């Protein structure tokens, strides 16, 4: 596969990476040329479409040709890496895998086999090694993928071709995800600053749309306890302050609104609070996601668990679920 149009359809393949490495001089030149703006805007659009879970059918090509499409893939990965935000990374990986999988389903059988083989899956056979199968299905929750529900013989899991093809998509997502975040030099991130800010603003807006109006009565018990502690003037340990700030930021509160929560503390220091809030919510270039329940437990922050807690593993999932119950 040497055609840049094919490479743009599967930009995570080694051949595509080789092409980008070979042409990185071109990318460098492009970034210094007037095409810079076009490429970066395409990359931002790519991330924003991923964030809003847009149907990849509606967004097949970013840019005016396959090369711009491929470069915008590279830049979009650099943008989310500069922000180092877990949600953005997950959404971009899912979106890119979905997009590539759509192209995959349109290929001839023999080409599909070649592409699947290039990412370590033999779809032409009616089985795959258990050791390949198990990590591939770890993110799939349907009963049919559970190993106990499959026929296994001599260390191989039997699969219909159509099922093996479904697993190609999982493998694509895994390959795209495992290489993120990239280690992008700080000066390059600085060069992308305005585009990174555009992505961060879109993420904030998306959070507002997804979580809707703030409903304090849906906060998980751990977060309510942190707010009560702040209000009572308790000096929260760093991790508690971080968990609270990141949670409030993730559900879409602005820096100012978060500072208002901390303002309830008797020893409130506006400039220190604004500094901490802005640091956590991305002004310093790195966005943070609130810690999962397991981390909260490790730090002794998981308190007053209730029935909803049994069904979630993240305070943000608790909030979403509880909010729905209140609607
Ligand atoms: S289980 Fe999770 S959501 Fe519930 S209190 Fe503990 S950390 Fe919070």
């Amino acid at each position: 596969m040497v055609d840049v149009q094919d490479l743009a359809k599967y930009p995570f393949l080694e051949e595509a990476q080789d092409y980008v490495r070979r042409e990185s001089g071109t990318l460098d030149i492009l970034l210094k040329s007037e095409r810079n703006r076009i490429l970066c805007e395409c990359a931002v659009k790519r991330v924003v479409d991923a964030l809003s879970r847009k149907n990849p059918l509606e967004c097949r090509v970013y840019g005016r040709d396959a090369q711009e499409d491929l470069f915008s893939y590279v830049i979009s990965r650099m943008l989310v890496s500069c922000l180092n935000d877990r949600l953005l990374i997950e959404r971009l990986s899912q979106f890119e895998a979905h997009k590539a999988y759509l192209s995959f389903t349109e290929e001839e059988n023999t080409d599909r086999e070649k592409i699947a083989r290039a990412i370590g899956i033999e779809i032409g056979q009616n089985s795959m090694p258990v050791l390949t199968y198990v990590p591939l299905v770890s993110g799939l929750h349907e009963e049919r993928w559970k190993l106990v529900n499959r026929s296994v013989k001599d260390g191989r899991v039997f699969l219909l071709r159509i099922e093996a093809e479904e697993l190609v998509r999982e493998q694509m997502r895994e390959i795209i995800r495992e290489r993120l975040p990239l280690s992008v030099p700080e000066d390059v991130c600085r060069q992308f600053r305005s585009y990174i800010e555009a992505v961060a603003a879109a993420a904030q807006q998306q959070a507002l749309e997804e979580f809707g109006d703030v409903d304090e009565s849906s906060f998980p018990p751990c977060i309510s306890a942190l707010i009560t502690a702040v209000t009572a003037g308790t000096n929260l340990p760093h991790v508690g302050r971080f968990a609270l700030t990141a949670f409030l930021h993730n559900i879409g509160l602005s820096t100012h609104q978060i500072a208002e929560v901390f303002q309830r503390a008797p020893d409130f220091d506006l400039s220190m609070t604004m500094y901490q809030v802005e640091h956590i919510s991305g002004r310093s270039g790195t966005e943070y996601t609130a810690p999962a329940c397991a981390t909260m437990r490790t730090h002794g922050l998981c308190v007053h668990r209730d029935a909803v807690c049994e069904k979630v593993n993240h305070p943000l999932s608790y909030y979403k679920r509880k909010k729905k119950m209140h609607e």
Side-chain angles (χ1 to χ4, degrees):
M1 197 193 289
V2 283
D3 185 339
V4 66
Q5 296 205 338
D6 284 329
L7 298 179
K9 285 195 275 179
Y10 310 105
F12 48 86
L13 289 182
E14 276 310 316
E15 283 166 285
Q17 304 288 312
D18 285 347
Y19 175 88
V20 171
R21 273 190 287 273
R22 257 194 333 270
E23 299 289 321
S24 60
T26 315
L27 176 60
D28 236 28
I29 293 164
L30 286 180
L31 287 176
K32 287 185 183 117
S33 75
E34 75 283 3
R35 276 173 86 191
N36 172 23
R37 193 179 48 79
I38 295 168
L39 283 177
C40 290
E41 283 175 2
C42 287
V44 170
K45 173 132 185 28
R46 211 161 174 135
V47 180
V48 172
D49 286 349
L51 246 181
S52 57
R53 299 178 194 274
K54 201 159 175 185
N55 184 348
L57 260 180
E58 296 165 26
C59 22
R60 302 304 288 268
V61 179
Y62 290 87
R64 294 164 300 186
D65 55 33
Q67 192 188 54
E68 284 190 359
D69 189 27
L70 184 53
F71 285 160
S72 77
Y73 168 85
V74 175
I75 299 171
S76 68
R77 289 166 66 78
M78 291 163 86
L79 294 181
V80 299
S81 297
C82 289
L83 275 165
N84 194 14
D85 179 86
R86 210 183 57 179
L87 180 74
L88 276 175
I89 288 174
E90 288 303 335
R91 293 249 169 119
L92 186 64
S93 308
Q94 272 175 19
F95 177 78
E96 293 296 348
H98 194 169
K99 187 168 173 298
Y101 185 71
L102 275 176
S103 301
F104 173 81
T105 57
E106 290 162 358
E107 306 284 1
E108 300 288 332
N109 269 355
T110 46
D111 287 334
R112 274 192 228 179
E113 283 167 18
K114 273 191 226 154
I115 294 159
R117 196 169 305 121
I119 57 170
I121 297 187
E122 290 291 346
I123 54 172
Q125 300 181 0
N126 65 352
S127 65
M128 74 167 58
V130 172
L131 288 178
T132 310
Y133 177 83
V134 171
L136 262 182
V137 299
S138 63
L140 301 173
H141 301 298
E142 286 169 76
E143 288 294 313
R144 68 186 168 119
W145 297 114
K146 292 213 170 108
L147 199 55
V148 289
N149 296 328
R150 312 289 324 181
S151 301
V152 182
K153 197 172 171 220
D154 299 331
R156 297 188 70 88
V157 184
F158 287 96
L159 288 167
L160 299 172
R161 181 178 171 117
I162 194 169
E163 291 175 321
E165 290 193 0
E166 275 184 72
L167 295 183
V168 165
R169 177 161 135 187
E170 273 308 290
Q171 180 75 330
M172 287 174 169
R173 194 189 57 74
E174 192 49 43
I175 291 173
I176 294 167
R177 170 72 185 88
E178 78 183 356
R179 294 177 189 157
L180 288 172
L182 312 166
S183 123
V184 185
E186 262 181 44
D187 59 323
V188 176
C189 290
R190 262 198 303 278
Q191 199 184 328
F192 287 139
R193 194 162 152 234
S194 60
Y195 301 103
I196 290 170
E197 282 175 1
V199 169
Q204 182 81 359
Q205 193 186 344
Q206 183 66 25
L208 275 174
E209 279 167 19
E210 274 181 36
F211 288 102
D213 295 336
V214 175
D215 172 13
E216 250 190 77
S217 67
S218 297
F219 282 3
C222 49
I223 298 297
S224 300
L226 285 169
I227 293 178
T228 308
V230 167
T231 311
T234 312
N235 199 6
L236 286 185
H238 171 73
V239 61
R241 197 170 269 265
F242 168 75
L244 179 56
T245 308
F247 175 87
L248 296 174
H249 171 65
N250 294 155
I251 65 167
L253 262 69
S254 66
T255 305
H256 203 78
Q257 288 169 311
I258 299 172
E260 274 174 13
V261 172
F262 284 97
Q263 203 171 0
R264 300 174 193 179
D267 63 345
F268 176 71
D269 173 342
L270 179 65
S271 68
M272 175 55 85
T273 304
M274 292 297 271
Y275 168 77
Q276 288 181 335
V277 170
E278 292 202 349
H279 177 72
I280 289 173
S281 58
R283 289 285 165 87
S284 59
T286 304
E287 288 247 349
Y288 292 96
T289 309
C293 297
T295 313
M296 295 289 276
R297 265 195 294 282
T298 308
H299 293 285
L301 296 173
C302 171
V303 291
H304 311 312
R305 284 172 65 97
D306 62 17
V308 179
C309 289
E310 303 303 324
K311 301 191 174 79
V312 299
N313 55 21
H314 203 289
L316 289 169
S317 317
Y318 180 109
Y319 179 67
K320 262 191 186 168
R321 194 176 260 264
K322 193 76 180 275
K323 217 165 161 242
K324 253 202 194 114
M325 288 160 67
H326 286 166
E327 277 166 15

